Amino acid sequence: QSALTQPASVSGSPGQSITISCTGTSSDVGSYNLVSWYQQYPGKAPKLMIYEGSKRPSGVSNRFSGSKSGNTASLAISGLQAEDEADYYCCSYAGSGTFVFGTGTKVTVL
Amino acid sequence: QVQLVESGGGLVKPGGSLRLSCAASGFTFSDYPMSWIRQAPGKGLEWVSYISSGSNYKGHADSLKGRITISRDNAKSSMYLQVNSLRAEDTAVYYCARGVVIGGSNSDAFDIWGQGTMVTVSS
């Protein structure tokens, strides 16, 4: 159960688009279409942004989108806004009732 | 409204034990799988344990296997985590989280989170 690999930081200017990668293995990301993404502000609980790889819960902006190719999942944020500055974590189901989170990515809006 | 409230955290000496609780309200608790997820100070999220809606299926992180027991009481809309042989590296905020269920199917994600309870392991 090794953590999924994410870039430590990603930055962009307001209005730009950014992408956060999440690399796992054939035992987790590659085996299941069950990657989820979470946004977390300092001192707050995480918020679900994407589930089942590309589905958005009600209330989540359509500026957030998810995809997957092989062992790597991605979260894209378009039209970057100041409020998007936060930490983002991916998570994958890994079989047998287990899950694994990514290392986390700090998004900075320049 | 839909809510999860954790309790039971605190300062514990190395080698000690703790029982964390998660009280749910605002939804039919017995319909949802639940998980515990922790976050050490300044660090990332770490999934700890999972329990299915009927308690018949459980999963644990390898790093804690043998030291933790997850349970739930659907009649009380509550979930619990017993952690034994606590170590300094168990110091973290422990969150309980509800599993996503859509159309009766689990989507293996976490849509509702509590505010967390802090566990500090120190002598």
Side-chain angles (χ1 to χ4, degrees), chain B residues 12-113:
Chain B
V12 186
K13 287 182 167 50
S17 298
L18 264 185
R19 188 191 194 213
L20 305 180
S21 299
C22 171
S25 59
F27 64 98
T28 304
F29 182 71
S30 58
D31 286 346
Y32 292 85
M34 299 291 295
S35 281
W36 287 97
I37 295 153
R38 70 182 183 180
Q39 186 169 36
K43 302 297 184 181
L45 299 171
E46 180 185 17
W47 172 81
V48 172
S49 190
Y50 164 95
I51 187 167
S52 62
S53 58
S55 300
N56 56 323
Y57 198 57
K58 301 175 184 178
H60 306 293
D62 287 342
S63 59
L64 294 107
K65 202 169 285 186
R67 297 195 296 123
I68 60 172
T69 302
I70 190 171
S71 61
R72 64 189 294 164
D73 185 336
N74 286 343
K76 294 183 177 179
S77 296
S78 294
M79 177 179 66
Y80 310 97
L81 184 71
Q82 176 76 31
V83 189
N84 301 322
S85 303
L86 282 158
R87 309 164 179 166
E89 53 265 37
D90 295 320
T91 294
V93 173
Y94 285 72
Y95 294 102
C96 65
R98 188 182 81 171
V100 172
V101 175
I102 296 177
S105 296
N106 295 343
S107 289
D108 292 312
F110 315 109
D111 62 350
I112 303 296
W113 295 62

Side-chain angles (χ1 to χ4, degrees), chain A residues 47-50 56-65 75-79 81 83-84:
Chain A
K47 173 187 176 183
L48 177 65
M49 304 302 284
I50 296 287
R56 276 188 310 274
S58 174
V60 172
S61 170
N62 59 10
R63 297 186 299 104
F64 293 84
S65 61
L75 174 71
I77 309 175
S78 62
Q81 299 179 1
E83 68 203 49
D84 300 330

